[in-house]
Amino acid sequence: MTEKRETVKKTATTKAAAEKKAAPKRSTAKKVAIEINAESVGFRAGDVYQALATAGKALTVSEIAKAAKISEDETLLGMGWLFKEGKVKADDNKITLA
């Protein structure tokens, strides 16, 4: 009878260890609140425009964010403004000045 209990304990321990390994990793990145108003979105649009103008070629959203030193969310806000104004266009998941 003791042999069965040991087997059950080993199995339970193994399952618990496997569950810990399979648990999703938590991101250590801090979330930053973005102020959304016409002024701040306009500034982000300027940041995006300058990054594209400086690069002189089409960039992905993450490349624009890195070049402009802003988050990808802020990049998307600025791009929205620029799309509305007809200042940028998208080709193959890359953004370029229109």
Side-chain angles (χ1 to χ4, degrees), residues 22 32-33 43 47 51 53 70 72 86 93 96:
V32 177
F43 283 128
D47 294 339
I70 57 176
E72 287 189 19
N93 292 328
T96 187

Side-chain angles (χ1 to χ4, degrees), residues 50-63:
Q50 288 299 318
L52 288 168
T54 301
K57 62 179 183 176
L59 299 174
T60 63
V61 172
S62 59
E63 290 171 336

Side-chain angles (χ1 to χ4, degrees), residues 14-86:
T14 305
K15 285 182 182 177
E19 287 174 2
K20 285 183 181 178
K21 288 181 182 177
K25 294 182 180 180
R26 294 184 182 181
S27 175
T28 57
K30 294 181 182 178
K31 292 190 177 188
V32 177
I34 300 172
E35 188 175 338
I36 300 176
N37 58 42
E39 184 178 13
S40 66
V41 175
F43 283 128
R44 298 300 74 83
D47 294 339
V48 170
Y49 190 91
Q50 288 299 318
L52 288 168
T54 301
K57 62 179 183 176
L59 299 174
T60 63
V61 172
S62 59
E63 290 171 336
I64 295 169
K66 186 176 179 180
K69 298 179 183 170
I70 57 176
S71 71
E72 287 189 19
D73 290 338
E74 291 171 313
T75 302
L76 293 171
L77 283 171
M79 284 173 40
W81 180 295
L82 293 171
F83 272 117
K84 175 76 170 130
E85 295 292 320

